[in-house]
Amino acid sequence: MALLPILRFPDSRLRKVAAPVTKIDDRIRRLAADMAETMYEAPGIGLAATQVDVHKRLVVIDVSEDKSQLRVFVNPEVESAEGLALGEEGCLSVPGIYDKVERAERVRVRYLDLDGNAQVLTAEGLLAVCIQHEIDHLDGKVFVDHLSQLKQTRIKSKLAKQARVTA
């Protein structure tokens, strides 16, 4: 396994819409493993392939406290969503930035597992939020897109300043 570099907002590659995975093979399984290792090391609770500059519809998520419940979603699609909740979100591609985003409280998602089997999951709470957040990445969206234009501008300025300081 290998750690992968995570793209940082406002990198334009984060805006690219991911293509469906057409074949689940060892390459995709290795990518999922590398993404999981990268997510845990960051540390984070979710990572979309788009964030590591691979534009395939693949997501890894683990919202457990002890990092023991890795979930891999290939070609995930939200079939239904219920309720609305406002919660604070952050993102590995937008380090150090957190803000409130409105998301569905409960989602039903259809996806393939790493064996190519069709799965359906009904999720709520943090898992539901994380699924929506990561699918946004696959669609070329970042959580800051849900914020006001003023907040987006401030975030871009703050990240640009951080980049200059660390360069």
Side-chain angles (χ1 to χ4, degrees):
M1 292 192 294
L3 292 177
L4 304 170
I6 298 172
L7 299 178
R8 293 195 166 201
F9 179 79
D11 192 308
S12 63
R13 293 171 290 179
L14 289 168
R15 300 299 183 184
K16 189 170 181 178
V17 175
V21 172
T22 55
K23 180 180 176 187
I24 299 173
D25 55 15
D26 287 343
R27 195 179 103 262
I28 291 295
R29 284 187 273 278
R30 187 170 39 259
L31 174 59
D34 290 347
M35 286 172 57
E37 183 179 3
T38 301
M39 173 188 72
Y40 289 132
E41 180 70 22
I45 60 171
L47 188 67
T50 300
Q51 293 176 270
V52 294
D53 202 19
V54 177
H55 303 283
K56 296 287 183 188
R57 296 189 78 78
L58 178 66
V59 167
V60 295
I61 294 175
D62 188 341
V63 296
S64 67
E65 288 288 323
D66 62 356
K67 306 300 179 200
S68 65
Q69 296 175 23
L70 178 65
R71 296 174 185 265
V72 179
F73 299 83
V74 180
N75 298 334
E77 293 180 34
V78 173
E79 287 189 328
S80 64
E82 300 174 23
L84 284 177
L86 190 65
E88 190 166 87
E89 289 187 30
C91 180
L92 296 177
S93 291
V94 192
I97 305 294
Y98 301 89
D99 213 318
K100 294 196 182 310
V101 175
E102 190 172 70
R103 301 266 189 196
E105 289 180 300
R106 194 168 18 277
V107 295
R108 179 178 161 99
V109 62
R110 179 175 301 278
Y111 64 99
L112 299 175
D113 63 22
L114 284 177
D115 294 320
N117 299 314
Q119 303 287 333
V120 176
L121 173 70
T122 300
E124 54 188 40
L126 182 58
L127 181 56
V129 168
C130 195
I131 289 168
Q132 293 169 83
H133 178 111
E134 300 309 332
I135 289 175
D136 269 2
H137 279 299
L138 299 180
D139 294 334
K141 298 176 191 164
V142 182
F143 91 97
V144 297
D145 296 341
H146 294 274
L147 305 177
S148 71
Q149 198 63 47
L150 176 62
K151 284 186 177 183
Q152 289 179 39
T153 301
R154 287 182 178 163
I155 289 167
K156 285 178 187 174
S157 296
K158 183 175 182 179
L159 292 175
K161 184 177 179 182
Q162 284 176 358
R164 285 192 303 273
V165 169
T166 58

